[in-house]
Amino acid sequence: MSENKDEKIEDVLVDSELAKKLVPNKFKFTSQQGRVRRQKLLAAAKKLSGTQAINDITLAAVCEEAGIPRASAYHFFPNIEAIFLALRFLNAIEILEILETVDIGNYDRWQGYLTALVDNCVEIFHNDETKAKLIYDTNTPDFEGDGFGEDVDHQIVNLIYKRLSERYELPSFHDLQDTLLIAYGIVNAIFTLSFRRHQNITDEYIQEANTAFIAYLRCYLPEKLPRNK
């Protein structure tokens, strides 16, 4: 990402391999000048979402904040929903990149690793409230039936499954990844409740999320998984 994320959002919508997986053909290549303008629109939308409900932000307001004519903005984003989809996509890349850095080798048991993932997600949201807003707030656009959100969830669950299977001998039942997806969904549901009640993910709800996450998976995973040799 860029050196100053508050001033400029680096354009990874075209170049990222993750972009091709999550939003194929959504963001096509533009000239360098076009990329700069697109970054300005994204940065403007991000700035406005820090003080306003996302559903209240118009394309005209974003264009005014970015200093870009609306006619020019249409070349990059057909509507305000597309701008916030792009921001949500950028957030997903950052979240996945940070979760990939959590070293499962630092934890003796699977519970510690999963709790660390939750804590890292929370730190991301506390450092940048707009990320939590785009995922958990009530006033967010409908991102194409939320299929994009489901794709992100699957990417995160695939990462968790990969790390666990590299470290441990996992039980051999065919739907373990679905079980992990449900467990991750429980965490998201608790975070959603916290954000909609408090406009933040509070310490109390973080504890509840960790408790529910681990308790659910204990129904399927032994307390101590054997290590891979």
Side-chain angles (χ1 to χ4, degrees):
M1 301 300 291
S2 63
E3 291 182 2
N4 190 333
K5 295 177 185 176
D6 291 332
E7 298 295 329
K8 181 179 179 182
I9 302 173
E10 183 175 339
D11 187 0
V12 295
L13 299 177
V14 176
D15 301 328
S16 170
E17 287 299 316
L18 185 59
K20 298 170 187 176
K21 294 178 183 178
L22 293 181
V23 198
N25 303 319
K26 178 67 68 175
F27 305 106
K28 60 185 179 181
F29 175 79
T30 58
S31 66
Q32 182 61 34
Q33 181 184 22
R35 288 182 174 221
V36 170
R37 289 192 168 192
R38 187 165 59 197
Q39 289 166 353
K40 286 182 177 180
L41 289 165
L42 290 169
K46 179 179 172 64
K47 180 179 178 180
L48 291 174
S49 65
T51 57
Q52 300 179 37
I54 290 172
N55 259 359
D56 292 340
I57 299 170
T58 64
L59 182 60
V62 171
C63 290
E64 182 178 356
E65 178 68 33
I68 293 174
R70 196 185 312 187
S72 178
Y74 286 127
H75 290 292
F76 314 110
F77 300 106
N79 49 46
I80 190 65
E81 288 80 12
I83 292 179
F84 283 110
L85 174 62
L87 273 180
R88 188 169 172 183
F89 172 74
L90 287 164
N91 293 343
I93 288 179
E94 184 174 349
I95 290 169
L96 280 164
E97 286 177 345
I98 290 174
L99 294 186
E100 285 176 348
T101 67
V102 179
D103 186 357
I104 194 171
N106 292 334
Y107 306 95
D108 292 332
R109 299 163 69 185
W110 60 269
Q111 296 93 329
Y113 170 65
L114 295 182
T115 299
L117 292 179
V118 172
D119 291 342
N120 272 264
C121 280
V122 171
E123 185 176 357
I124 293 168
F125 297 141
H126 283 174
N127 289 338
D128 185 348
E129 186 183 311
T130 60
K131 289 182 172 61
K133 229 179 192 182
L134 278 168
I135 300 172
Y136 301 120
D137 203 1
T138 54
N139 296 310
T140 55
D142 179 12
F143 293 111
E144 299 180 1
D146 207 29
F148 172 77
E150 291 178 10
D151 285 339
V152 173
D153 291 348
H154 280 285
Q155 290 286 332
I156 292 174
V157 167
N158 288 342
L159 169 66
I160 295 171
Y161 179 79
K162 180 182 177 183
R163 292 288 188 266
L164 289 174
S165 61
E166 289 170 350
R167 178 77 164 170
Y168 302 108
E169 295 179 16
L170 297 178
S172 57
F173 57 94
H174 71 282
D175 56 352
L176 178 55
Q177 282 179 278
D178 284 341
T179 300
L180 289 169
L181 186 62
I182 293 169
Y184 182 68
I186 291 170
V187 172
N188 270 329
I190 294 171
F191 283 180
T192 298
L193 182 61
S194 178
F195 196 87
R196 293 182 181 182
R197 283 185 172 180
H198 306 290
Q199 289 298 296
N200 193 12
I201 300 172
T202 67
D203 291 343
E204 178 185 359
Y205 280 87
I206 296 167
Q207 181 60 50
E208 292 297 325
N210 276 318
T211 299
F213 194 22
I214 300 303
Y216 176 77
L217 287 175
R218 278 179 172 146
C219 297
Y220 299 91
L221 299 176
E223 193 68 23
K224 190 170 183 178
L225 284 168
R227 299 275 184 87
N228 281 329
K229 298 179 180 179

